[in-house]
Amino acid sequence: MQWNAKNLPKEELFYGHKACAGCGGSLATRMALKVLGERTFLAVPAGCMSAVGFVYPQLCFGNNAIISTFAGTASMLTGIQAGAKALGLKDYHVLGIAGDGGTADIGLQGLSGAIDRNDDVIYICYDNEAYMNTGIQKSGLTPFGAKTTTTPAGKQIHGNQKEKKNMFEIVAAHHIAYAATATIGYMEDFLGKVERAKQTKGTSYIHVIAPCPTGWGISSNQTIHAARAIVDTGLWYLAEYYDGTFHLNRKPKKKNQVEEYLLSQKRFAHLTPEDIHIIKEQRDEKWKQIEREWEYERVK
């Protein structure tokens, strides 16, 4: 089924939350639940979605939802799946939604185990590229050059000096049943991938770029624009992995200017032309590998 604005359910399963204006993570959560429906058991770790969605007595999830330990999102999904199976439940989904720190750093071990067992669960990482809930600290998915409170920008060192982990290919290396990259800037593509995860038997992983206006230093009305621009510049790509093969879903004919994307965000405002050159080189090297090794197939 192809989801779009015309056929999405009107029912809201994540509403009345306390997220910041323009929060990309809350939009990804809301839209994923529209595809998966009310019979979805959800686990979220410490992070923005648990902080803004479980403000007692104003609980904002319309489906069954629980906060997991920071490291335990995937292991809790395993337990939920086992419990539902023991009860003989039918027609349900088990979903975990975690931020980049809870996925690429603290929760990676549990996620690796769930994939290894091929548990029938869906794991969505909303990637805002830092620990935004606790004050914008660097995570394993913070990009090169970004300024955070733990990677400040000074005269000698210009923000984070590490490239972000490649979580998509890390989970693919487990021979996962289904993995995908997405962005809330191309919403129909994201919804289609949630639908595919919904139909997949075994573990699914979706890595969705979800900008944080506070941490990125953009206006709240620029979230979607930034989420789209990161793809149009080639600094992020839309892809899937299944049946042991990588599939590129979008091939820009001409990549937009990296400078415009970076310098529109306060976290990159300190970058020098040399820093931006490094980022371009990293991008171009990745695209050479993608175009050499991956198949091109748009999401249906």
Side-chain angles (χ1 to χ4, degrees), residues 7-25:
N7 63 9
L8 273 176
K10 293 183 178 179
E11 181 185 16
E12 298 289 352
L13 296 174
F14 183 52
Y15 59 95
H17 54 74
K18 303 297 187 294
C20 305
C23 170

Side-chain angles (χ1 to χ4, degrees), residues 186-238:
Y186 286 99
M187 186 55 74
E188 289 187 16
D189 176 87
F190 173 54
L191 297 175
K193 288 168 176 171
V194 176
E195 174 66 24
R196 183 148 191 174
K198 178 181 174 181
Q199 302 299 332
T200 295
K201 186 68 176 175
T203 311
S204 294
Y205 174 85
I206 299 176
H207 193 118
V208 56
I209 293 291
C212 168
T214 303
W216 289 28
I218 57 176
S219 301
S220 58
N221 63 1
Q222 290 298 302
T223 302
I224 298 299
H225 174 76
R228 184 177 284 257
I230 193 173
V231 173
D232 295 341
T233 56
L235 295 175
W236 187 245
Y237 45 82
L238 304 181

Side-chain angles (χ1 to χ4, degrees), residues 78-149:
T78 297
I80 293 172
Q81 180 206 22
K85 183 179 180 181
L87 291 171
L89 300 185
K90 304 292 183 185
D91 189 26
Y92 64 90
H93 305 287
V94 179
L95 171 67
I97 295 181
D100 44 288
T103 299
D105 300 336
I106 299 172
L108 184 55
Q109 181 182 7
L111 176 59
S112 177
I115 301 171
D116 187 53
R117 293 184 297 271
N118 197 29
D119 294 330
D120 192 13
V121 302
I122 301 168
Y123 190 110
I124 295 177
C125 170
Y126 64 96
D127 182 5
N128 51 32
E129 301 190 324
Y131 288 86
M132 299 305 186
N133 182 51
T134 50
I136 317 174
Q137 295 89 13
K138 174 195 176 301
S139 79
L141 296 181
T142 299
F144 175 86
K147 179 178 68 175
T148 71
T149 52

Side-chain angles (χ1 to χ4, degrees), residues 57-78:
Q58 297 170 319
L59 307 182
C60 300
F61 288 99
N63 58 307
N64 283 297
I66 190 171
I67 300 176
S68 76
T69 60
F70 211 160
T73 307
S75 56
M76 184 169 280
L77 300 184
T78 297

